[in-house]
Coordinates of all heavy atoms in Angstrom, one line a residue:
T1 N 17.0 7.8 -1.0 CA 17.5 7.0 0.1 C 16.4 6.7 1.1 O 16.4 5.8 1.9 CB 18.7 7.6 0.8 OG1 18.3 8.9 1.3 CG2 19.9 7.6 -0.1
D2 N 15.4 7.5 1.1 CA 14.3 7.4 2.2 C 12.9 7.2 1.6 O 12.0 7.8 2.1 CB 14.4 8.6 3.1 CG 14.2 9.9 2.3 OD1 14.2 9.9 1.1 OD2 14.0 11.0 3.0
D3 N 12.8 6.4 0.6 CA 11.5 6.2 -0.1 C 10.6 5.4 0.8 O 11.0 4.3 1.2 CB 11.7 5.5 -1.4 CG 10.3 5.4 -2.1 OD1 9.8 6.4 -2.6 OD2 9.8 4.2 -2.2
P4 N 9.4 5.9 1.2 CA 8.5 5.2 2.1 C 7.6 4.2 1.5 O 6.9 3.4 2.2 CB 7.7 6.3 2.7 CG 7.6 7.3 1.6 CD 8.9 7.2 0.8
W5 N 7.5 4.1 0.1 CA 6.5 3.3 -0.6 C 6.9 1.8 -0.6 O 8.0 1.4 -1.0 CB 6.3 3.8 -2.0 CG 5.7 5.2 -1.9 CD1 6.4 6.4 -2.1 CD2 4.3 5.5 -1.7 NE1 5.5 7.4 -2.0 CE2 4.2 7.0 -1.7 CE3 3.2 4.8 -1.5 CZ2 3.0 7.6 -1.5 CZ3 2.0 5.5 -1.3 CH2 1.9 6.9 -1.3
I6 N 5.9 1.0 -0.3 CA 6.0 -0.5 -0.4 C 4.8 -1.1 -1.2 O 3.7 -0.7 -0.9 CB 6.0 -1.1 1.1 CG1 7.1 -0.6 1.9 CG2 5.9 -2.6 1.0 CD1 8.5 -1.0 1.5
I7 N 5.1 -1.9 -2.2 CA 4.0 -2.6 -2.9 C 3.5 -3.7 -2.0 O 4.2 -4.6 -1.6 CB 4.5 -3.1 -4.2 CG1 4.9 -2.0 -5.1 CG2 3.4 -3.9 -4.9 CD1 5.5 -2.4 -6.5
E8 N 2.2 -3.5 -1.6 CA 1.7 -4.6 -0.7 C 1.2 -5.8 -1.5 O 0.7 -5.7 -2.5 CB 0.5 -4.0 0.1 CG 0.9 -3.0 1.2 CD -0.2 -2.9 2.3 OE1 -1.4 -3.2 2.0 OE2 0.2 -2.4 3.4
T9 N 1.5 -6.9 -0.9 CA 1.1 -8.2 -1.4 C 0.6 -9.0 -0.2 O 0.5 -8.5 0.9 CB 2.3 -9.0 -2.0 OG1 3.3 -9.3 -0.9 CG2 3.0 -8.2 -3.1
E10 N 0.2 -10.3 -0.4 CA -0.3 -11.1 0.7 C 0.8 -11.3 1.8 O 0.6 -11.3 2.9 CB -0.7 -12.5 0.2 CG -1.9 -12.5 -0.7 CD -3.2 -12.2 0.1 OE1 -3.3 -12.7 1.3 OE2 -4.1 -11.5 -0.4
E11 N 2.1 -11.4 1.3 CA 3.2 -11.6 2.2 C 3.8 -10.3 2.8 O 4.4 -10.3 3.8 CB 4.3 -12.4 1.5 CG 3.9 -13.7 1.0 CD 3.2 -13.6 -0.4 OE1 3.6 -12.7 -1.2 OE2 2.3 -14.5 -0.6
T12 N 3.7 -9.2 2.0 CA 4.4 -7.9 2.4 C 3.3 -6.9 2.7 O 2.5 -6.5 1.8 CB 5.3 -7.5 1.2 OG1 6.2 -8.5 0.9 CG2 6.1 -6.2 1.6
K13 N 3.4 -6.3 3.9 CA 2.5 -5.2 4.2 C 3.4 -4.0 4.7 O 4.5 -4.1 5.2 CB 1.6 -5.6 5.4 CG 0.7 -6.8 5.1 CD -0.3 -6.5 4.1 CE -1.2 -7.7 3.8 NZ -1.9 -7.5 2.6
A14 N 2.9 -2.8 4.4 CA 3.6 -1.6 4.8 C 3.6 -1.5 6.3 O 2.6 -1.7 7.0 CB 2.9 -0.4 4.2
G15 N 4.8 -1.1 6.9 CA 5.0 -0.9 8.3 C 4.5 0.5 8.7 O 4.0 1.3 7.9
S16 N 4.8 0.9 10.0 CA 4.3 2.1 10.5 C 5.0 3.3 9.9 O 4.3 4.4 9.8 CB 4.6 2.2 12.0 OG 6.0 2.0 12.3
N17 N 6.2 3.3 9.4 CA 6.8 4.4 8.7 C 6.8 4.3 7.2 O 7.6 4.9 6.5 CB 8.3 4.5 9.2 CG 8.4 4.9 10.6 OD1 7.4 5.6 11.2 ND2 9.4 4.6 11.3
E18 N 6.0 3.4 6.7 CA 5.9 3.1 5.3 C 4.5 3.4 4.7 O 3.6 3.5 5.5 CB 6.3 1.7 5.0 CG 7.7 1.3 5.4 CD 8.0 -0.2 5.3 OE1 7.1 -1.0 5.6 OE2 9.1 -0.5 5.0
K19 N 4.5 3.6 3.4 CA 3.2 3.9 2.8 C 2.9 2.7 1.8 O 3.8 2.3 1.1 CB 3.2 5.2 2.0 CG 3.4 6.4 2.9 CD 3.5 7.7 2.1 CE 3.6 8.9 3.0 NZ 3.7 10.1 2.3
A20 N 1.6 2.3 1.7 CA 1.3 1.2 0.9 C 0.9 1.6 -0.5 O 0.2 2.6 -0.8 CB 0.0 0.5 1.5
I21 N 1.4 0.8 -1.4 CA 1.0 0.8 -2.8 C 0.1 -0.4 -3.0 O 0.5 -1.5 -2.9 CB 2.2 0.8 -3.8 CG1 3.1 1.9 -3.6 CG2 1.7 0.7 -5.3 CD1 4.4 1.8 -4.4
L22 N -1.2 -0.1 -3.2 CA -2.2 -1.1 -3.3 C -2.5 -1.5 -4.8 O -2.4 -0.6 -5.7 CB -3.5 -0.6 -2.7 CG -3.4 -0.2 -1.2 CD1 -4.7 0.5 -0.8 CD2 -3.1 -1.3 -0.3
G23 N -3.0 -2.7 -5.0 CA -3.5 -3.1 -6.3 C -4.7 -2.3 -6.6 O -5.3 -1.7 -5.7
L24 N -5.1 -2.2 -7.9 CA -6.2 -1.3 -8.3 C -7.5 -1.6 -7.6 O -8.2 -0.7 -7.0 CB -6.4 -1.4 -9.8 CG -7.5 -0.5 -10.4 CD1 -7.3 1.0 -10.0 CD2 -7.6 -0.7 -11.9
D25 N -7.9 -2.9 -7.5 CA -9.1 -3.3 -6.8 C -9.1 -2.9 -5.3 O -10.0 -2.4 -4.8 CB -9.4 -4.8 -7.0 CG -9.7 -5.1 -8.5 OD1 -10.2 -4.2 -9.2 OD2 -9.5 -6.3 -8.9
D26 N -8.0 -3.2 -4.7 CA -7.8 -2.9 -3.2 C -7.9 -1.4 -3.0 O -8.5 -0.9 -2.1 CB -6.5 -3.5 -2.7 CG -6.6 -5.0 -2.6 OD1 -7.7 -5.6 -2.5 OD2 -5.5 -5.6 -2.5
F27 N -7.2 -0.6 -4.0 CA -7.3 0.8 -3.9 C -8.7 1.3 -4.0 O -9.1 2.2 -3.2 CB -6.4 1.5 -5.0 CG -6.7 2.9 -5.2 CD1 -6.1 3.8 -4.3 CD2 -7.5 3.4 -6.2 CE1 -6.4 5.2 -4.4 CE2 -7.7 4.7 -6.3 CZ -7.2 5.6 -5.4
L28 N -9.5 0.8 -4.9 CA -10.8 1.3 -5.1 C -11.7 1.0 -3.9 O -12.6 1.8 -3.5 CB -11.5 0.7 -6.4 CG -10.8 1.2 -7.7 CD1 -11.3 0.4 -8.9 CD2 -11.0 2.7 -7.9
V29 N -11.5 -0.1 -3.2 CA -12.2 -0.4 -2.0 C -11.8 0.6 -0.9 O -12.6 1.2 -0.2 CB -11.9 -1.9 -1.5 CG1 -12.4 -2.1 -0.1 CG2 -12.6 -2.8 -2.5
K30 N -10.5 0.8 -0.7 CA -9.9 1.6 0.3 C -10.4 3.1 0.1 O -10.7 3.8 1.1 CB -8.4 1.6 0.4 CG -7.8 2.5 1.4 CD -6.8 1.9 2.2 CE -6.3 2.8 3.3 NZ -5.5 2.2 4.2
V31 N -10.4 3.6 -1.1 CA -10.7 5.0 -1.4 C -12.2 5.2 -1.0 O -12.6 6.3 -0.7 CB -10.4 5.4 -2.8 CG1 -11.3 4.9 -3.8 CG2 -10.1 6.9 -2.9
S32 N -13.0 4.2 -1.2 CA -14.4 4.3 -0.8 C -14.7 4.2 0.7 O -15.7 4.7 1.1 CB -15.3 3.2 -1.6 OG -15.0 2.0 -1.0
E33 N -13.7 3.7 1.4 CA -13.9 3.5 2.9 C -13.2 4.5 3.7 O -13.5 4.7 4.9 CB -13.4 2.1 3.3 CG -14.2 1.0 2.7 CD -13.6 -0.4 3.0 OE1 -12.4 -0.4 3.5 OE2 -14.2 -1.4 2.8

């Protein structure tokens, strides 16, 4: 009932109480930064 994960797209972004699921390329950029 309280899953925080949101698949991020151009239109949908994770809010303050949510966690982002990023595409592979975006993840690889974020993990390096």
Side-chain angles (χ1 to χ4, degrees):
T1 57
D2 58 349
D3 183 71
W5 295 99
I6 300 293
I7 296 175
E8 285 201 344
T9 64
E10 291 290 324
E11 301 82 32
T12 307
K13 300 294 179 194
S16 60
N17 293 334
E18 297 171 326
K19 296 179 180 182
I21 300 173
L22 304 170
L24 180 59
D25 292 336
D26 291 336
F27 166 78
L28 292 172
V29 169
K30 176 136 185 167
V31 79
S32 69
E33 295 174 348

